[in-house]
Every structure is written in structure tokens, then in C-alpha cells.
Amino acid sequence: MKLETKNLTKNYIVPKSGEVKVLKGIDLLINSGEKVALMGPSGAGKSTLIHILGLMDKPTSGNVLIDDIDITTYTPNKLAKMRKENIGFVFQFHYLLADFTVMENILMPVWNERKQKKEYALNMLETMGLTDRANHMPNELSGGEQQRVALARALINNPKILFADEPTGNLDRKTGEKIENLMFEMCSKLKTTLLVVTHSQELANLADRQIKIVDGKIC
Ligand SMILES: Nc1ncnc2c1ncn2[C@@H]1O[C@H](COP(=O)(O)OP(=O)(O)O)[C@@H](O)[C@H]1O
Ligand SMILES: [Mg+2]
């Protein structure tokens, strides 16, 4: 899936201090299947940008184009459908549901088709070295294992694009690296476009391209 933005801006209204300009005109083109690392200092607007690209937030002005279609005018229902069918997300925190098993968590985005998808989920668990964890609860796993489950859940629906917002920021370097390698491998195999926010130069080096955002602008 090709992803493009045109002169994208985002302002937040903050009580007392008024308007905060976070994104100040972002022009971006990510080609289908490309793996891109998004870097830049804390507060630069990285999360804001990928939330907008991931259709979880709206820009103040400018356009988001997915496969050349401007989705800025889409209704909430149409956006939700687009998101469900095409987009996967991995956050810094895993957000697994504590009362559900590993397998149930992975199948959550495709719950209505969970019977048909179980085989695929098991394959993914195997790739991630978690076969024997399928029936465990999230709190029985290590941080690295939890994040691998979150990655499997993000990929269960074969999204065309995966967004990852500092996915290994909470993990030690060695554990983080394993997951990063896994994420890149799986995206290559599935031909998933990847946009990953990271502070790690080693992770960024795995990407086809690195983009830096400073003070709301790409530089
Ligand atoms: N909901 C919000 N309301 C007001 N300001 C926000 C909101 N979300 C983020 N910001 C501000 O926008 C700026 C960019 O935040 P963010 O996109 O999270 O940066 P990054 O992910 O690069 O660290 C920060 O100054 C942050 O305080
Ligand atoms: Mg952030």
C-alpha cells in the first residue's frame, strides 16, 4: 500500500497556552512494500504523525492519500473499515487484554473468523518461537514475549501497512533487537509496508530509508 501526505498540519488546542502547532506541513511518500524508519527527538511529532497516517486521528489541514485515494473526506465508518482491513499497529506498550489467552489476543481483530484463522495464528506463533505459549495468559509472559504477541496480533489480518511506534522502547537492547529483526522479516515475507518510529540507529539501519522529523517538519 502506497502512503502519501500533502502539506499535512496538526494543531492542538491546549487550555491556557492556546494553540500548539505540532505538524507544520509534512510531505511524505512511502511506496508499497517500503520499510521506513521515522526518527527525531522526543516531542517532534512522530506519534502524532503516525496516528494520523494510521487513521486514528485527523489532521488539521492537508491530505492523506492511500493508494492515490484521498481519505481525508472519508466518513468515520469508511475510515474504520479501511483501518480494519488494511492497517496494523504496534505500540510501545503491548495493550494485550489481560483476561484472554495469547491465542485469543492474537485472534481478537478477526474474532468472527477465529476458527478459520487459528491455523495461521499458530504458524505465526511458531515463527515467533511462542508455540508453547498459545494458552498462556499475557501476565505469564516476559516483556519481549508480550511484544511478540502484540506483533502477531497486528499482523493476523495481513495488513497492507504496519505502523510501529517505538515498539521496542520498553525492552532491553538484546530482546528489542530480536523483535525488530522479526518484524522486518515478517513484513518482507508478507510484503507489508512498514513505518516504524524509533530512537535506535541499529533498528533504523534495517529500514530501506530513514526519515527525520524535527520540530514538526521533515528534514
Ligand atoms: N492530545 C494532545 N494535546 C495537546 N498536545 C499534544 C497532544 N498530543 C501531543 N501533543 C504535543 O504534541 C507534541 C508532539 O507529540 P508527539 O507526537 O507525541 O511527539 P513524539 O512522538 O515525536 O515524541 C508534543 O509537544 C506534545 O506535547
Ligand atoms: Mg511518540
Side-chain angles (χ1 to χ4, degrees), residues 110-193:
V110 291
W111 198 248
N112 292 335
E113 311 151 66
R114 60 190 178 281
K115 287 207 178 77
Q116 301 92 297
K117 288 278 190 179
K118 191 161 181 194
E119 183 79 31
Y120 185 60
L122 280 170
N123 285 343
M124 219 150 32
L125 278 175
E126 191 178 353
T127 308
M128 301 202 178
L130 292 171
T131 304
D132 53 346
R133 298 296 202 166
N135 297 314
H136 284 232
M137 303 309 280
N139 68 1
E140 296 165 351
L141 307 183
S142 70
E145 289 166 342
Q146 289 167 339
Q147 200 60 325
R148 272 181 276 164
V149 176
L151 176 61
R153 178 185 56 187
L155 293 173
I156 187 72
N157 211 18
N158 264 324
K160 299 202 175 64
I161 180 156
L162 178 69
F163 295 99
D165 194 356
E166 302 189 41
T168 58
N170 276 335
L171 304 170
D172 65 81
R173 209 43 240 140
K174 211 169 139 231
T175 306
E177 255 169 43
K178 256 199 219 160
I179 293 170
E180 288 152 12
N181 286 321
L182 202 55
M183 185 172 71
F184 275 87
E185 262 170 44
M186 296 200 68
C187 285
S188 295
K189 201 171 89 186
L190 301 167
K191 298 191 169 57
T192 314
T193 310

Side-chain angles (χ1 to χ4, degrees), residues 12 14 22 41-48:
Y12 289 111
V14 185
V22 178
S42 218
K46 304 181 296 297
S47 294
T48 301

Side-chain angles (χ1 to χ4, degrees), residues 96-109:
L96 297 174
L97 298 173
D99 296 333
F100 292 86
T101 66
V102 162
M103 179 54 87
E104 288 165 344
N105 266 283
I106 294 175
L107 290 172
M108 205 56 75

Side-chain angles (χ1 to χ4, degrees), residues 5-218:
T5 69
K6 288 186 177 161
N7 202 16
L8 201 73
T9 75
K10 179 73 178 177
N11 304 339
Y12 289 111
I13 310 289
V14 185
K16 286 183 190 155
S17 38
E19 203 172 38
V20 183
K21 293 185 161 74
V22 178
L23 301 179
K24 300 174 182 170
I26 302 275
D27 292 298
L28 192 67
L29 175 62
I30 298 173
N31 281 307
S32 191
E34 204 178 10
K35 298 185 204 63
V36 176
L38 179 61
M39 305 188 78
S42 218
K46 304 181 296 297
S47 294
T48 301
L49 178 60
I50 77 164
H51 286 150
I52 292 172
L53 294 175
L55 313 184
M56 296 196 292
D57 198 0
K58 288 209 171 259
T60 302
S61 68
N63 308 85
V64 178
L65 292 87
I66 294 181
D67 283 342
D68 296 318
I69 297 166
D70 190 336
I71 54 87
T72 325
T73 57
Y74 271 25
T75 60
N77 276 345
K78 223 169 157 186
L79 280 176
K81 185 166 185 285
M82 180 85 165
R83 195 163 55 219
K84 186 171 186 290
E85 289 172 358
N86 298 298
I87 291 173
F89 239 103
V90 182
F91 303 92
Q92 189 166 13
F93 183 69
H94 57 73
Y95 296 111
L96 297 174
L97 298 173
D99 296 333
F100 292 86
T101 66
V102 162
M103 179 54 87
E104 288 165 344
N105 266 283
I106 294 175
L107 290 172
M108 205 56 75
V110 291
W111 198 248
N112 292 335
E113 311 151 66
R114 60 190 178 281
K115 287 207 178 77
Q116 301 92 297
K117 288 278 190 179
K118 191 161 181 194
E119 183 79 31
Y120 185 60
L122 280 170
N123 285 343
M124 219 150 32
L125 278 175
E126 191 178 353
T127 308
M128 301 202 178
L130 292 171
T131 304
D132 53 346
R133 298 296 202 166
N135 297 314
H136 284 232
M137 303 309 280
N139 68 1
E140 296 165 351
L141 307 183
S142 70
E145 289 166 342
Q146 289 167 339
Q147 200 60 325
R148 272 181 276 164
V149 176
L151 176 61
R153 178 185 56 187
L155 293 173
I156 187 72
N157 211 18
N158 264 324
K160 299 202 175 64
I161 180 156
L162 178 69
F163 295 99
D165 194 356
E166 302 189 41
T168 58
N170 276 335
L171 304 170
D172 65 81
R173 209 43 240 140
K174 211 169 139 231
T175 306
E177 255 169 43
K178 256 199 219 160
I179 293 170
E180 288 152 12
N181 286 321
L182 202 55
M183 185 172 71
F184 275 87
E185 262 170 44
M186 296 200 68
C187 285
S188 295
K189 201 171 89 186
L190 301 167
K191 298 191 169 57
T192 314
T193 310
L194 173 67
L195 183 60
V196 56
V197 175
T198 184
H199 290 292
S200 156
Q201 190 58 52
E202 285 130 303
L203 191 161
N205 290 342
L206 295 172
D208 301 320
R209 187 151 61 97
Q210 301 175 18
I211 296 174
K212 197 167 178 197
I213 177 167
V214 177
D215 193 26
K217 281 191 168 154
I218 299 218

